[in-house]
Amino acid sequence: MLADCLRKCPEEHWDTPIAKYPFWQTAYHTLCFVDCYLTPSNEAFHALLAERAERRRPGEIDFQPTGIKELEDEYPSRRFNKPELLAYLHLCRAKAREALGDGPGAESPDTLAGPSGFSWYKVPRAELHLINLRHIQHHTGALGAALRRLGVEPRWVGSGWKE
């Protein structure tokens, strides 16, 4: 549903405020934290951002141009366009499939019962995934409501990873 909101947002409304922040920034914020919380820990996320920066090829999208500051600062270092955010969403979906699937990189019953990996969330890792889902739902709902006010109807997706 988040992907549908991104695809359906008219270009002339990409900067329309959703509460305090532009449409695109609300989506970017959502994806940054999806990316972060699908990583095993805050330390691992810092390392992942450094690794991405190190292996980035010319022309490849830099989703966190200033590293962790993109999440810590109120405003991102630059404006992201629709194709960039759709690419980031694709990366986050792949990361979710890996972390929550049944492959070699998937969470185990032990990791899900263990600590979240983030000092500000003193909950089991399984609960962190639920918090992450609620965060996505919250912002997707706000983006969808903004689109409906414009006469654009985002679609409801009841299950699966439909594109």
Side-chain angles (χ1 to χ4, degrees):
M1 290 171 63
L2 177 57
D4 194 54
C5 286
L6 290 174
R7 281 193 287 275
K8 288 184 175 174
C9 181
E11 285 299 326
E12 65 270 18
H13 292 286
W14 196 239
D15 291 302
T16 296
I18 306 299
K20 182 178 177 183
Y21 304 105
F23 188 97
W24 70 266
Q25 187 179 344
T26 301
Y28 177 70
H29 158 87
T30 305
L31 292 169
C32 281
F33 282 94
V34 167
D35 190 8
C36 178
Y37 293 143
L38 283 171
T39 308
S41 69
N42 191 39
E43 295 75 19
F45 188 62
H46 283 256
L48 175 65
L49 294 183
E51 177 189 326
R52 283 180 187 166
E54 188 175 295
R55 65 181 162 92
R56 188 170 302 104
R57 295 181 301 240
E60 201 171 64
I61 302 167
D62 187 352
F63 297 117
Q64 283 85 19
T66 61
I68 200 66
K69 286 180 62 59
E70 295 292 339
L71 283 80
E72 294 171 343
D73 291 350
E74 183 175 7
Y75 294 97
S77 60
R78 71 174 185 87
R79 180 183 188 270
F80 288 83
N81 64 36
K82 189 181 294 195
E84 289 172 323
L85 291 188
L86 286 168
Y88 197 15
L89 182 107
H90 180 75
L91 180 146
C92 289
R93 279 185 174 165
K95 193 171 179 177
R97 283 187 187 108
E98 181 179 333
L100 303 174
D102 58 4
E107 297 271 9
S108 69
D110 287 340
T111 62
L112 290 170
S116 73
F118 298 87
S119 62
W120 53 92
Y121 275 124
K122 304 220 182 292
V123 298
R125 183 110 179 112
E127 188 171 341
L128 179 69
H129 290 306
L130 295 175
I131 291 166
N132 207 3
L133 287 171
R134 287 193 300 264
H135 183 246
I136 296 165
Q137 289 174 318
H138 168 78
H139 289 302
T140 300
L143 296 172
L147 290 174
R148 283 189 292 281
R149 284 191 297 275
L150 297 172
V152 176
E153 275 301 316
R155 81 186 158 105
W156 171 258
V157 179
S159 68
W161 298 93
K162 298 175 185 175
E163 290 292 327

